[in-house]
Amino acid sequence: QKEVEQNSGPLSVPEGAIASLNCTYSDRGSQSFFWYRQYSGKSPELIMSIYSNGDKEDGRFTAQLNKASQYVSLLIRDSQPSDSATYLCAAQAAGNKLTFGGGTRVLVKP
Amino acid sequence: GAVVSQHPSWVICKSGTSVKIECRSLDFQATTMFWYRQFPKQSLMLMATSNEGSKATYEQGVEKDKFLINHASLTLSTLTVTSAHPEDSSFYICSAAQSGGELFFGEGSRLTVL
């Protein structure tokens, strides 16, 4: 059973719109959560980390965490074609070990 | 962010040979590094946790005698794929953690076994 679940997509959004990505996790011991962006053929790139309930904003990105619901989300505002990528949600328990979701592919259409 | 470097970025080898991939943390010391494998259109799968000065911890289903991991210093971990076969062809990615817990990834190494 996968411990971190994401909708595989593709999530298609028009340029300038908001892309909303969701992620759920099963391990209540997870304390830290991350969103990575991965372009095809490239390594994942960290874009957001979140550790406590609520919202965290960084530029056009907003991460939301609800530990009671075991739910993490990522909003991308003013989506650009360069945001087209696969977004990986990851949960971290003790020992720095990350568990990744399957990733959501996002397509931003000009 | 922190810099993690992998080498080589791509390698082609014949079946039965061994391939070594290096992972270096360039601007911080990493007592723990992680090795992942990613097949096309799939997510990252953790293979093993590399601990400086001690044996690596392998995930279930990963053959420790086939994927040899050495973490000889605080800035270098190596993964050796021994007796590689075509089914080992994949994208291998290492990561290292800073003290804050955020993991940074190397550029990845694409292995093709003929």
Side-chain angles (χ1 to χ4, degrees):
Chain A
Q1 182 180 358
K2 281 191 111 173
E3 297 178 24
V4 178
E5 296 278 356
Q6 292 180 255
N7 188 318
S8 61
L11 175 65
S12 184
V13 296
E15 184 174 359
I18 295 175
S20 178
L21 291 79
N22 303 314
C23 170
T24 58
Y25 62 95
S26 60
D27 183 4
R28 285 197 174 272
S30 300
Q31 293 297 315
S32 306
F33 304 87
F34 305 90
W35 284 98
Y36 288 86
R37 177 175 61 197
Q38 186 176 26
Y39 293 112
S40 181
K42 301 294 185 182
S43 189
E45 171 192 11
L46 178 67
I47 55 172
M48 286 287 286
S49 59
I50 188 165
Y51 306 99
S52 55
N53 283 328
D55 296 359
K56 179 181 178 182
E57 186 175 317
D58 184 0
R60 295 187 295 111
F61 299 99
T62 299
Q64 298 172 318
L65 173 60
N66 184 324
K67 289 187 178 180
S69 300
Q70 296 177 243
Y71 175 88
V72 192
S73 68
L74 178 71
L75 297 177
I76 307 174
R77 289 183 300 280
D78 188 23
S79 296
Q80 301 297 309
S82 60
D83 294 325
S84 298
T86 296
Y87 289 80
L88 301 169
C89 171
Q92 186 177 56
N96 285 335
K97 193 161 103 170
L98 281 183
T99 300
F100 284 89
T104 298
R105 187 173 166 222
V106 173
L107 294 173
V108 180
K109 297 186 175 181
Chain B
V3 179
V4 177
S5 177
Q6 260 183 264
H7 177 83
S9 55
W10 58 271
V11 58
I12 300 173
C13 70
K14 292 182 179 180
S15 184
T17 61
S18 295
V19 174
K20 180 186 285 188
I21 301 169
E22 293 186 346
C23 177
R24 294 180 185 273
S25 55
L26 298 184
D27 52 359
F28 66 100
Q29 293 183 330
T31 55
T32 304
M33 292 184 175
F34 301 90
W35 287 96
Y36 294 83
R37 179 168 55 183
Q38 187 177 37
F39 292 107
K41 299 190 185 301
Q42 296 186 23
S43 191
L44 282 76
M45 295 302 297
L46 179 65
M47 298 175 66
T49 302
S50 173
N51 304 298
E52 188 269 335
S54 64
K55 291 183 179 180
T57 304
Y58 290 83
E59 295 299 300
Q60 191 172 12
V62 178
E63 299 175 59
K64 62 180 181 181
D65 294 331
K66 181 170 184 62
F67 299 100
L68 302 179
I69 291 172
N70 183 277
H71 195 151
S73 76
L74 288 170
T75 59
L76 173 64
S77 176
T78 61
L79 168 68
T80 302
V81 183
T82 62
S83 187
H85 291 283
E87 58 265 29
D88 298 323
S89 299
S90 187
F91 193 41
Y92 292 87
I93 310 172
C94 73
S95 68
Q98 279 196 300
S99 57
E102 294 178 348
L103 280 180
F104 294 92
F105 286 85
E107 307 95 326
S109 300
R110 187 163 301 282
L111 170 64
T112 300
V113 184
L114 302 177

